[in-house]
Amino acid sequence: MSFKEQVTELSKRAVSAQTIALTEEATKNALVMPFLRTLGFDVFDPSQIVPEFTADVGLKKGEKVDYAVRINDRIEYILEAKAVSANLSQAQYSQLYRYFSTTDCSIAILTNGIQIWFFTDLDAPNKLDTNPFFKFDLFDYDDNDLKELEKFHRDRFSITDIKSSANTLKRMKAAISSIEAQFNDPDDEFVRMISKGLYDGKLTSAVVSEFKPIIKRAFEDLVRQKIQKKLTAAFNDNVNIPTIKDVDSVTQLTEGGDGIETTQEEVDGFNIVRAIAAEVADISRVVMRDQKSYCGINFDDNNRKPIVRLHFNSKTKFLTIFDSDKAGARFDIVQVTDIFKAKTQIQSVIQSYIGNGG
């Protein structure tokens, strides 16, 4: 199998393992060891994988890290595993920091079997960074993520390439964060920079205040145009892509209609879900039913076959994404286009309905 196919199989395994492999040891067996196999390692060869690796730190003797990973007789990774239910952002992983400084390894990995976080020492030599430079999620990845993950494969490993990529990723995150801040609330300096080419007079505080909502709206329209381009590519030319102006073209958009207002964001969200669904099903089977507290998207216009609910009525936007057992999980987003990040989960529940005779 190709690397992409192996990761796909691992992702499928993780769907069932997340409800069964509840302990740390079970997570190691069900997900962590298969993950290391996917990266090209023989998990039963002690010259490649050393379980319970002892890393003495100062006065602390006999402390162990879950796995040390060797490439060409050198320890390149140390890996600490948590139970599949663990929230990595809240997990205690101070051991990784201590171990990293006592070995010659280049990479430290923290994982719960589904999310895999990669750390290195970009900020200070031989001192593990506080934040991971790369995060991979088996339930939420794209081709770019796969390309980054493949760099850690045993046959392709190059610490020079990885650190170069890590620096690039770090700068990209900072750039995205800065752009996102301007998107949500452009500051006066940014508004002045854009407005210079739009206004001939003096850019007083009053003028800047006047331009600020205009520039924010321009950002939003630009994003909406890009969404439309993606949707046009996903749908064939004969399928109508509804907007707020022709919202009646969507079947069963509301129930009752009393006090229900379907927003453009909800329509955009619905279209994105249909675009994602187009790869695995006839999009006419994906139907929106707007409610007062959320906007529901179901399969076959059936409330017993929920795909996703859009919660866009407050400042904090999020989705409820359902699995084959109708269990819903919260998926936070910042903007509507973030729905594309949930592609794997959305397609998975649709395929489960089709596979059950739907």
Side-chain angles (χ1 to χ4, degrees):
M1 289 192 293
S2 68
F3 182 72
K4 183 176 183 178
E5 290 170 335
Q6 291 179 63
V7 175
T8 299
E9 287 301 310
L10 188 60
S11 179
K12 291 177 181 177
R13 171 190 286 263
V15 172
S16 57
Q18 67 178 333
T19 59
I20 300 172
L22 302 181
T23 67
E24 187 174 304
E25 286 303 315
T27 300
K28 290 179 187 177
N29 291 331
L31 293 172
V32 177
M33 292 177 71
F35 166 68
L36 291 172
R37 276 206 308 268
T38 299
L39 290 184
F41 295 97
D42 182 348
V43 296
F44 301 110
D45 183 349
S47 70
Q48 296 183 29
I49 305 294
V50 184
E52 296 295 308
F53 177 72
T54 301
D56 291 337
V57 185
L59 296 177
K60 291 180 176 289
K61 303 297 182 181
E63 283 204 320
K64 299 179 186 297
V65 66
D66 290 321
Y67 298 100
V69 182
R70 286 195 179 110
I71 301 176
N72 297 326
D73 294 326
R74 171 187 162 88
I75 294 175
E76 295 289 1
Y77 310 151
I78 53 173
L79 185 151
E80 185 172 346
K82 301 296 182 183
V84 73
S85 59
N87 183 338
L88 294 189
S89 62
Q90 299 174 357
Q92 294 295 320
Y93 49 100
S94 56
Q95 288 171 306
L96 275 183
Y97 293 90
R98 296 198 299 271
Y99 297 153
F100 188 84
S101 61
T102 63
T103 67
D104 294 327
C105 70
S106 309
I107 303 294
I109 301 173
L110 177 70
T111 182
N112 60 8
I114 295 174
Q115 296 174 320
I116 305 110
W117 291 8
F118 295 82
F119 299 79
T120 189
D121 56 350
L122 296 177
D123 296 333
N126 204 36
K127 183 179 180 181
L128 200 65
D129 297 338
T130 302
N131 297 312
F133 67 88
F134 176 52
K135 295 180 180 181
F136 189 86
D137 190 327
L138 284 172
F139 291 163
D140 182 17
Y141 63 86
D142 57 23
D143 287 343
N144 288 328
D145 294 327
L146 283 171
K147 288 178 183 177
E148 292 299 327
L149 183 64
E150 195 168 12
K151 292 176 182 177
F152 298 91
H153 194 282
R154 182 171 181 267
D155 296 337
R156 300 164 183 78
F157 181 81
S158 165
I159 190 57
T160 302
D161 291 345
I162 286 175
K163 287 205 170 184
S164 174
S165 178
N167 267 309
T168 300
L169 289 170
K170 181 180 178 181
R171 290 167 182 163
M172 278 184 61
K173 286 178 185 176
I176 289 171
S177 178
S178 179
I179 292 170
E180 188 174 66
Q182 296 299 340
F183 178 90
N184 293 327
D185 185 20
D187 61 32
D188 289 355
E189 183 180 351
F190 182 80
V191 173
R192 288 179 189 278
M193 180 183 71
I194 300 296
S195 302
K196 282 180 182 178
L198 308 175
Y199 188 76
D200 294 330
K202 184 178 180 180
L203 290 170
T204 64
S205 296
V207 173
V208 169
S209 296
E210 181 181 341
F211 268 98
K212 184 173 287 191
I214 295 172
I215 290 172
K216 188 175 189 302
R217 176 64 185 275
F219 257 134
E220 292 169 349
D221 284 352
L222 178 63
V223 170
R224 186 170 289 118
Q225 288 171 22
K226 289 187 175 295
I227 291 174
Q228 284 299 113
K229 286 181 181 179
K230 284 196 174 187
L231 294 173
T232 300
F235 293 116
N236 65 51
D237 294 337
N238 296 321
V239 176
N240 177 47
I241 303 174
T243 66
I244 201 69
K245 293 178 181 177
D246 61 1
V247 81
D248 289 341
S249 67
V250 182
T251 307
Q252 295 288 347
L253 195 59
T254 65
E255 288 184 347
D258 294 336
I260 297 175
E261 179 184 356
T262 301
T263 67
Q264 181 64 57
E265 275 192 324
E266 289 171 335
V267 174
D268 289 343
F270 171 54
N271 283 330
I272 290 172
V273 173
R274 294 182 94 191
I276 291 170
E279 297 181 18
V280 295
D282 181 345
I283 61 168
S284 65
R285 301 179 72 178
V286 179
V287 177
M288 176 160 68
R289 284 179 175 268
D290 204 358
Q291 310 285 339
K292 285 186 178 181
S293 58
Y294 63 84
C295 179
I297 302 175
N298 303 325
F299 196 63
D300 286 342
D301 196 15
N302 188 337
N303 287 330
R304 293 190 178 90
K305 296 181 180 180
I307 300 172
V308 65
R309 290 176 180 173
L310 314 178
H311 302 267
F312 291 174
N313 295 333
S314 62
K315 289 184 179 180
T316 302
K317 296 181 177 63
F318 67 95
L319 317 174
T320 298
I321 302 178
F322 293 86
D323 59 22
S324 57
D325 296 321
K326 314 293 192 306
R330 177 168 172 150
F331 187 97
D332 290 306
I333 65 172
V334 176
Q335 54 198 25
V336 180
T337 49
D338 289 343
I339 296 174
F340 281 110
K341 297 178 181 178
K343 174 181 175 180
T344 302
Q345 298 98 307
I346 290 171
Q347 290 184 345
S348 178
V349 66
I350 292 172
Q351 288 173 320
S352 74
Y353 292 144
I354 295 173
N356 289 330

